[in-house]
Amino acid sequence: MASDQQKFPQQKQETQPGKEHVMNPVPEFTSPEYKPSNKLKGKIALITGGDSGIGRAVCNLFALEGASVAFTYVKGQEDKDAKDTLEIIKKAKGEDAKDPMAIPADLGYDENCKKVVDEVVKGFGRIDILINNAAEQYERGSVEEIDEKRLERVFRTNIFSYFFMTRHALKHMKEGSSIINTTSVNAYKGHATLLDYTSTKGAIVAFTRGLSLELASKKIRVNGVAPGPIWTPLIPASFKQEETAHFGGEVPMKRAGQPIEVAPSYVFLACNHCSSYITGQVLHPNGGTIVNG
């Protein structure tokens, strides 16, 4: 894990989605201290944005815990990261798990989400765990700089896809299944220069709460995870070099978190014998920022 005096080398990526393999240092997706115990043995998991960052760490831990894993990525932009993640999952997966799947898709559109779900069901037969995680963000100095095109793009990726993926996946989910949505600490404390991104993350919290009430009668649990400043490709792809160098220093723990420090929250929420009485809730791995709600 990073030290209390952590600083990152200045770096900037000019396009989104960001690329994990060119980051310095590369985000930590695993840890020798993590001890799997078959928490997800026999489960089928679909993770959007699973090629890098938090998504990659979740893919790895789910595989270590016995799940068969499928994930999505952006074709052309994330090919190398997706290939690397596939290899990581193959090494981590249990003997009983099926070979992992990497599915390229722009999830901002309903028909693409349906194709992803259909491909997973064709290969794995069903879906037990849906992780809505794909996201993009862009810095803007004021609300006046956010035009209609940018606003629609961010909302399509960050919240439209959650609706689309869920509505198609539910047809193949049964009692005991779990949906976990990635929101953000920014939904609770706000962010002056990520207004459109922050707005989508607030929508995800409301989506999680409402959907949990809808699906409680079907005994499908719906929860969320609201990470704080985590070292992922979104950071160098979003912020200026000098901001990246000091990223995470504002939280009480005085450092950014690593994806491996967030991923166990998803394992906990996905595992029925760990969190069977938890639905409509959000976990907050955020370095000590106090939030209400």
Side-chain angles (χ1 to χ4, degrees):
M1 307 306 173
S3 72
D4 290 345
Q5 303 302 315
Q6 164 197 282
K7 278 188 178 181
F8 295 110
Q10 289 195 11
Q11 56 201 283
K12 175 66 178 173
Q13 297 186 29
E14 298 301 329
T15 60
Q16 283 204 42
K19 298 172 179 61
E20 182 152 326
H21 64 275
V22 300
M23 292 176 68
N24 180 24
V26 175
E28 298 172 19
F29 67 87
T30 193
S31 169
E33 297 176 1
Y34 186 87
K35 306 301 180 187
S37 57
N38 286 322
K39 293 183 183 69
L40 304 176
K41 186 174 182 180
K43 300 295 185 181
I44 306 298
L46 170 55
I47 300 157
T48 68
D51 62 286
S52 63
I54 293 169
R56 174 182 286 184
V58 173
C59 284
N60 178 58
L61 291 196
F62 277 25
L64 287 172
E65 292 291 355
S68 297
V69 175
F71 68 89
T72 70
Y73 68 99
V74 177
K75 188 175 183 179
Q77 296 293 320
E78 298 177 320
D79 292 350
K80 169 104 172 52
D81 285 345
K83 182 180 178 181
D84 292 345
T85 299
L86 266 181
E87 292 304 313
I88 289 165
I89 302 171
K90 287 177 181 177
K91 292 178 182 178
K93 82 178 191 72
E95 292 182 0
D96 297 334
K98 298 181 180 180
D99 288 337
M101 300 171 61
I103 306 171
D106 179 351
L107 300 177
Y109 298 89
D110 183 76
E111 63 269 24
N112 296 343
C113 293
K114 184 179 186 303
K115 289 177 182 177
V116 169
V117 169
D118 288 347
E119 188 168 341
V120 173
V121 173
K122 181 179 179 181
F124 292 164
R126 67 181 191 281
I127 296 172
D128 300 309
I129 305 162
L130 172 64
I131 309 295
N132 287 310
N133 172 70
E136 57 185 279
Q137 67 179 23
Y138 305 88
E139 268 203 305
R140 290 293 183 268
S142 75
V143 67
E144 297 168 284
E145 297 176 23
I146 303 172
D147 61 22
E148 183 177 356
K149 182 179 179 180
R150 174 63 64 218
L151 187 66
E152 181 179 355
R153 180 67 251 176
V154 172
F155 268 74
R156 279 195 175 279
T157 299
N158 294 12
I159 181 63
F160 285 20
S161 72
Y162 286 35
F163 276 86
F164 298 152
M165 290 299 301
T166 299
R167 81 186 200 94
H168 293 298
L170 275 173
K171 298 179 181 69
H172 310 282
M173 303 178 83
K174 58 184 181 180
E175 179 179 319
S177 296
S178 177
I179 298 170
I180 306 169
N181 301 315
T182 302
T183 176
S184 167
V185 67
N186 293 326
Y188 296 86
K189 69 180 186 64
H191 196 294
T193 61
L194 297 174
L195 184 58
D196 46 355
Y197 171 85
T198 297
S199 298
T200 65
K201 293 302 177 175
I204 292 166
V205 174
F207 174 69
T208 299
R209 291 171 173 170
L211 187 64
S212 72
L213 296 175
E214 177 187 334
L215 298 183
S217 62
K218 297 182 179 180
K219 298 185 179 178
I220 295 175
R221 296 183 300 109
V222 185
N223 292 291
V225 179
I230 307 300
W231 184 239
T232 75
L234 263 185
I235 306 314
S238 303
F239 296 118
K240 300 178 181 68
Q241 290 191 37
E242 56 271 23
E243 294 174 312
T244 302
H246 299 281
F247 178 70
E250 75 280 5
V251 302
M253 293 181 74
K254 303 299 182 186
R255 66 172 180 85
Q258 291 290 338
I260 185 57
E261 297 180 280
V262 180
S265 294
Y266 293 82
V267 174
F268 170 74
L269 291 173
C271 174
N272 283 324
H273 65 260
C274 290
S275 57
S276 59
Y277 199 50
I278 298 177
T279 195
Q281 309 303 315
V282 178
L283 299 184
H284 296 273
N286 64 24
T289 299
I290 304 301
V291 297
N292 295 310

